[in-house]
Amino acid sequence: MTLQENVSLKPYNTFGIAATSQYFTDISAPIDFQILMQSGLLNAFPFFILGGGSNVVFNKLFAGIVVKISLKGITVEEETADTVLVKAAAGEVWSDFVDFCVDHNFYGAENLTAIPGTVGASPVQNVGAYGVEAKDIIESVEAYEILTGKQCIFSNSDCQFDYRSSIFKTELKSKYIVASVTFRLNKLPKLNLEYGAIRTEMEKAGITDPTLADVSRIISEIREEKLPNPDKIGSAGSFFKNPVIPVAQYEALKEKYPALVAYPHKGEYKVAAGWLIEQCGWKDRQFGNVGVYPKQALVLYNLGDCTGEEVKALAKEIQQSVETHFGITLEPEAIFV
Ligand SMILES: Cc1cc2nc3c(=O)[nH]c(=O)nc-3n(C[C@H](O)[C@H](O)[C@H](O)COP(=O)(O)OP(=O)(O)OC[C@H]3O[C@@H](n4cnc5c(N)ncnc54)[C@H](O)[C@@H]3O)c2cc1C
């Protein structure tokens, strides 16, 4: 483990924000965890655990230590006739893990194709797309307690998964580093095609009996069409969570705005944040170096050399206008560091 000083974070965040970390270290072997924790650095300095940087907005200077998790390895741990346990190290690229499952005909991860980021962030964020969330396939999470260096295993229910959230973002925020995640996948064919445009796109492509690879490819294509490709355009994906509102508030809004886009969610309603933002007139607008993505108002993107401060200012204006217009508070999904 080496400790570097004054490291540029630009290559380490998909928004492409220019920022500097006072200290930076890369964890690429399990022994590095022990060295890091015994060093006392995490008690002496503010720290941030970094995966692929695909959901973060950095300020110009992080006066502390950024710990980049780069542990690699994907292994099949156990197999029965029906299911298989696959363990992936935290630094594995999430889409490489999904591709591994698709290539081996393991069902369950395919709808999560092409989500940027690492395996280690998947239980923290409970990533989700096309009707599936990481919680649906996570068996357990191996993590190190930062204070003691103790290794712990969290079962699926220990993780207290919720919409884009888990115990690692709430009660245990900044208390654990995820080292690996074990997923339970199906060996028997089981596809989830009912969400969004999957079926329509399958029909258009003339696919009647889709394979895992077909599903993964179609979802990649739909995503490519709607979302900025992080290799080409800087963003953090959906910038805000879809707000969940009580039934009475939903009914009142629906009466006033019949086109309101919302779905039932655990006895309440989840409203499409992108729709709210678009109705407030933000879509395809540009402010300095930050813009609201023309194809999806939920995405803020980098027009050049944007700073975290610019992103934060635009996000605040959007929040205020949605609040004024609809009485709904938007919560950022992206994390300000
Ligand atoms: C174009 C685009 C599309 C996206 N689409 C989706 C989508 O469809 N669905 C979705 O859910 N998200 C989506 N996202 C958001 C993002 O991909 C996810 O939040 C992803 O899980 C972040 O992973 P990461 O490794 O980049 O984490 P980072 O951004 O580096 O970190 C995110 C959080 O996880 C913590 N963390 C990371 N690794 C660890 C670890 N090993 N141990 C402990 N804590 C850790 C960090 O401290 C931070 O709090 C999208 C982002 C982009 C840019």
Side-chain angles (χ1 to χ4, degrees):
M1 190 202 97
T2 52
L3 192 65
Q4 295 169 260
E5 267 184 78
N6 296 324
V7 171
S8 165
L9 296 172
K10 195 168 179 173
Y12 298 108
N13 72 97
T14 58
F15 224 118
I17 290 171
T20 305
S21 179
Q22 189 183 1
Y23 297 107
F24 183 95
T25 190
D26 203 326
I27 300 292
S28 52
I31 185 76
D32 291 342
F33 274 122
Q34 303 308 333
I35 298 170
L36 176 67
M37 281 154 196
Q38 282 161 13
S39 70
L41 283 166
L42 300 190
N43 301 324
F45 293 99
F47 63 87
F48 182 72
I49 309 301
L50 181 68
S54 61
N55 213 24
V56 294
V57 176
F58 287 119
N59 273 334
K60 271 199 186 82
L61 175 69
F62 182 70
I65 171 165
V66 165
V67 179
K68 164 98 177 99
I69 307 299
S70 301
L71 293 164
K72 296 284 182 199
I74 303 181
T75 46
V76 172
E77 295 284 292
E78 203 180 294
E79 262 185 279
T80 66
D82 298 350
T83 67
V84 57
L85 291 181
V86 177
K87 183 175 174 177
E92 282 289 343
V93 172
W94 174 261
S95 60
D96 289 349
F97 158 71
V98 174
D99 290 349
F100 176 94
C101 297
V102 170
D103 290 347
H104 287 77
N105 271 325
F106 300 154
Y107 293 75
E110 61 281 358
N111 287 31
L112 305 174
T113 288
I115 296 180
T118 57
V119 164
S122 65
V124 179
Q125 308 283 86
N126 185 23
V127 289
Y130 293 91
V132 175
E133 289 179 316
K135 74 167 173 54
D136 301 327
I137 53 171
I138 289 177
E139 176 78 3
S140 62
V141 175
E142 177 200 8
Y144 287 91
E145 191 181 20
I146 289 169
L147 195 63
T148 60
K150 210 175 95 192
Q151 185 197 30
C152 305
I153 303 291
F154 291 80
S155 69
N156 182 299
S157 65
D158 292 338
C159 294
Q160 297 181 15
F161 289 120
D162 204 344
Y163 168 50
R164 298 293 179 276
S165 183
S166 69
I167 196 164
F168 304 109
K169 265 183 124 170
T170 52
E171 211 179 298
L172 301 183
K173 186 172 184 296
S174 302
K175 298 235 176 342
Y176 283 83
I177 299 179
V178 174
S180 72
V181 183
T182 300
F183 300 90
R184 186 176 291 278
L185 299 143
N186 279 307
K187 286 171 73 180
L188 306 177
K190 195 171 178 224
L191 295 173
N192 182 344
L193 307 175
E194 303 316 318
Y195 198 91
I198 306 177
R199 258 208 207 282
T200 322
E201 291 304 316
M202 292 272 174
E203 278 162 25
K204 272 197 218 160
I207 301 166
T208 48
D209 189 13
T211 62
L212 264 180
D214 290 329
V215 177
S216 178
R217 194 187 67 254
I218 291 284
I219 289 178
S220 274
E221 286 169 8
I222 301 173
R223 290 182 65 99
E224 182 80 35
E225 184 52 38
K226 281 173 51 178
L227 291 167
N229 178 337
D231 295 335
K232 296 176 191 154
I233 299 171
S235 85
S238 302
F239 201 87
F240 299 99
K241 290 185 183 180
N242 290 318
V244 177
I245 59 171
V247 175
Q249 189 181 5
Y250 162 76
E251 284 172 351
L253 280 173
K254 188 76 183 165
E255 204 176 324
K256 200 164 169 197
Y257 306 99
L260 177 75
V261 180
Y263 310 91
H265 175 82
K266 295 182 180 171
E268 298 187 295
Y269 275 87
K270 195 189 267 184
V271 182
W275 186 87
L276 298 172
I277 297 168
E278 194 174 339
Q279 297 311 301
C280 293
W282 291 99
K283 199 172 180 178
D284 201 11
R285 285 177 67 186
Q286 303 186 346
F287 298 83
N289 293 309
V290 199
V292 181
Y293 199 53
K295 293 181 186 172
Q296 169 54 275
L298 193 49
V299 174
L300 307 189
Y301 73 112
N302 191 346
L303 290 162
D305 259 334
C306 80
T307 62
E309 288 75 4
E310 282 178 292
V311 177
K312 205 186 266 183
L314 175 57
K316 204 168 170 192
E317 282 203 46
I318 293 175
Q319 278 172 310
Q320 278 167 356
S321 96
V322 169
E323 178 89 52
T324 308
H325 223 88
F326 294 104
I328 291 179
T329 308
L330 289 184
E331 188 191 333
E333 187 176 318
I335 297 154
F336 294 103
V337 184

